[in-house]
């Protein structure tokens, strides 16, 4: 219980910090950051852009969303997209805590509202899409065999809600999603194509590292964990990672048979949502740069494996 309570505390602190960031933006600070203490101790020879960028504390910056300036926050996660994914983990663990203790409903609602602020102002499209699909995957896999009709109806309703409006407004939907942050979309497309074409020159083992190209502000191989793995380690590395992911999924499915109470069932579902969310998020984001997301990811993997082996790992 103390373990999941830490996530609740972190979420509240992160939310309050982001409120402070937005207030700074409202007062005219369109770009506000400072150097971490560690960066000051590094020699000048190590001040590469990618290292320096990960050691700058970004309070707030202005980004364009649907043609309008918005405050975009990174919080304690270095990058906004990492903040968004991190807040999904924090909020799900916090929900688990709220379900386990008796608290004033108004206080719970206030705390959830504070946590939602950094999630929203991460302005990450991928995070919301990843969470939605992860939730549907877990919902489908958690149903018992006797509820297949319910599953089919749920899928049909979801597809109807998703597809019917899209049929009539398909161009507008795709334009909004891709052009909401047009500069980011165009940059990603360019980086992806260069990374894949380079990786295909040595598809078995890859080229070992990301590399920089003049005129492109991020290294080639960035903004997609899977393309990055393919670029650096080729098909062998990519197959190894996918095999690891499949192993964790099989352990998560196996863990369902060891559920003993409602708390463990909710925990099992939330771990599944977190795991699938991060894996989907990795399609368009780097897990090797925002280290705290990688930490959350492997903590989740560890808990799933422990649960699948029927271990008691969350004693009060």
């Amino acid at each position: 219980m103390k373990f999941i309570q830490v996530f609740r505390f972190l979420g509240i602190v992160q939310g309050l910090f982001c409120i402070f960031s937005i207030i700074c933006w409202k007062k005219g600070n369109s770009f506000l950051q400072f150097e971490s203490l560690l960066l000051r101790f590094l020699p000048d020879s190590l001040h590469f852009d990618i290292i320096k960028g990960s050691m700058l504390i970004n309070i707030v910056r202005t980004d364009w969303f649907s043609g309008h300036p918005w405050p975009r926050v990174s919080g304690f996660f270095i990058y906004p997209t990492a903040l968004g994914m991190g807040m999904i983990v924090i909020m799900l663990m916090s929900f688990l805590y709220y379900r386990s203790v008796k608290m004033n409903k108004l206080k719970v609602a206030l705390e959830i509202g504070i946590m939602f602020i950094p999630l929203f102002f991460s302005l990450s499209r991928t995070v919301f899409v990843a969470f939605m699909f992860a939730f549907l995957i877990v919902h489908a896999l958690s149903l018992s065999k006797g509820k297949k009709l319910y599953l089919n109806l749920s899928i049909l309703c979801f597809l109807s809600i998703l597809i019917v409006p899209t049929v009539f407004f398909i161009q507008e939907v795709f334009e909004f999603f891709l052009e909401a942050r047009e500069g980011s979309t165009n940059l990603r497309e360019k980086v992806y194509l260069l990374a894949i074409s380079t990786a295909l020159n040595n598809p078995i083992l890859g080229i070992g590292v990301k590399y920089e190209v003049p005129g492109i502000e991020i290294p080639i191989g960035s903004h997609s964990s899977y393309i990055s793995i393919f670029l650096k380690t080729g098909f062998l590395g990519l197959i190894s990672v996918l095999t690891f992911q499949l192993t964790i999924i099989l352990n998560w499915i196996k863990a369902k048979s060891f559920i003993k109470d409602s708390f463990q069932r909710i925990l099992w579902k939330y771990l599944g949502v977190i795991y699938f969310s991060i894996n989907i998020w990795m399609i368009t984001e780097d897990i090797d740069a925002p280290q705290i997301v990688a930490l959350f990811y492997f903590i989740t993997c560890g808990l799933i494996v422990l649960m699948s082996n029927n271990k008691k790992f969350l004693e009060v």
Side-chain angles (χ1 to χ4, degrees):
M1 188 63 65
K2 291 182 179 180
F3 174 77
I4 57 176
Q5 189 176 6
V6 171
F7 285 92
R8 172 204 171 209
F9 176 77
L10 178 59
I12 294 171
V13 172
Q14 180 67 94
L16 294 175
F17 181 78
C18 288
I19 291 173
F20 166 76
S21 302
I22 295 167
I23 291 173
C24 290
W25 186 83
K26 283 286 188 180
K27 290 183 175 293
N29 296 293
S30 59
F31 186 83
L32 188 59
Q33 66 178 196
F34 61 89
E35 296 181 351
S36 66
L37 291 175
L38 181 59
L39 182 61
R40 296 179 179 273
F41 289 101
L42 291 174
D44 292 337
S45 60
L46 292 180
H47 281 196
F48 299 114
D49 288 342
I50 191 169
I51 296 177
K52 186 174 181 180
S54 66
M55 296 187 182
L56 293 173
I57 310 301
N58 295 295
I59 305 299
V60 68
R61 64 189 176 109
T62 301
D63 211 333
W64 290 87
F65 193 88
S66 295
H68 301 283
W70 281 76
R72 196 175 192 202
V73 296
S74 301
F76 306 136
F77 288 78
I78 304 176
Y79 305 112
T81 53
L83 170 64
M85 192 68 257
M87 289 310 300
I88 291 292
V89 178
I90 288 171
M91 291 183 72
L92 285 174
M93 285 298 187
S94 298
F95 291 159
L96 184 65
Y97 175 79
Y98 296 137
R99 283 175 171 268
S100 306
V101 298
K102 291 184 178 180
M103 287 184 61
N104 182 279
K105 291 184 178 180
L106 182 60
K107 182 179 179 181
V108 171
L110 177 61
E111 290 184 2
I112 292 174
I114 291 174
M115 293 181 201
F116 183 77
I117 290 172
L119 174 61
F120 179 81
F121 282 98
S122 70
L123 300 183
S124 176
R125 297 162 293 175
T126 304
V127 167
F128 289 97
V129 173
F131 174 76
M132 178 182 69
F133 279 99
F135 178 83
L136 288 171
I137 292 169
V138 171
H139 175 68
L141 294 176
S142 63
L143 292 174
S144 61
K145 293 182 180 179
K147 294 184 178 180
K148 284 189 176 181
L149 176 61
Y150 173 64
L151 170 61
N152 293 333
L153 289 174
S154 298
I155 294 174
L156 180 62
C157 290
F158 170 74
L159 291 177
S160 298
I161 294 171
L162 185 67
I163 293 174
V164 171
T166 305
V167 169
F168 292 100
F169 305 103
I170 186 166
Q171 183 176 349
E172 289 81 357
V173 169
F174 277 99
E175 284 182 354
F176 172 77
F177 188 78
L178 295 176
E179 295 178 6
R181 296 185 59 244
E182 187 175 5
S184 175
T185 301
N186 294 335
L187 177 63
R188 287 167 189 267
E189 181 182 4
K190 185 183 299 184
V191 170
Y192 293 162
L193 292 175
L194 281 171
I196 293 172
S197 63
T198 302
L200 289 175
N201 292 327
N202 190 13
I204 305 301
L205 297 175
I207 65 171
V209 295
K210 297 179 182 179
Y211 66 97
E212 295 186 354
V213 171
I216 299 180
E217 60 187 37
I218 60 174
I220 304 304
S222 300
H223 277 317
S224 174
S225 297
Y226 299 109
I227 293 178
S228 176
I229 291 167
F230 179 48
L231 174 69
K232 293 183 290 187
T233 60
F235 282 116
L236 287 179
L238 184 59
I239 291 171
S240 298
V241 170
L242 294 177
T243 301
F244 169 79
Q245 292 177 330
L246 178 60
T247 301
I248 299 299
I249 291 172
L250 293 176
N251 272 273
W252 178 75
I253 294 172
K254 175 186 174 184
K256 184 180 179 182
S257 61
F258 295 128
I259 295 173
K260 296 180 180 179
D261 52 45
S262 59
F263 176 84
Q264 290 188 4
R265 182 170 183 79
I266 296 169
L267 171 63
W268 177 78
K269 285 185 175 181
Y270 285 1
L271 289 177
V273 172
I274 291 170
Y275 182 75
F276 285 110
S277 292
I278 295 179
N279 281 328
I280 296 170
W281 175 85
M282 285 167 60
I283 295 173
T284 62
E285 301 298 339
D286 298 294
I287 197 171
D288 58 347
Q291 292 83 3
I292 193 167
V293 177
L295 175 63
F296 284 169
Y297 178 70
F298 287 109
I299 285 175
T300 303
C301 293
L303 292 176
I304 289 173
V305 172
L306 284 172
M307 201 171 192
S308 69
N309 287 281
N310 200 20
K311 304 287 186 180
K312 294 182 179 180
F313 57 92
L314 277 179
E315 299 287 349
V316 176

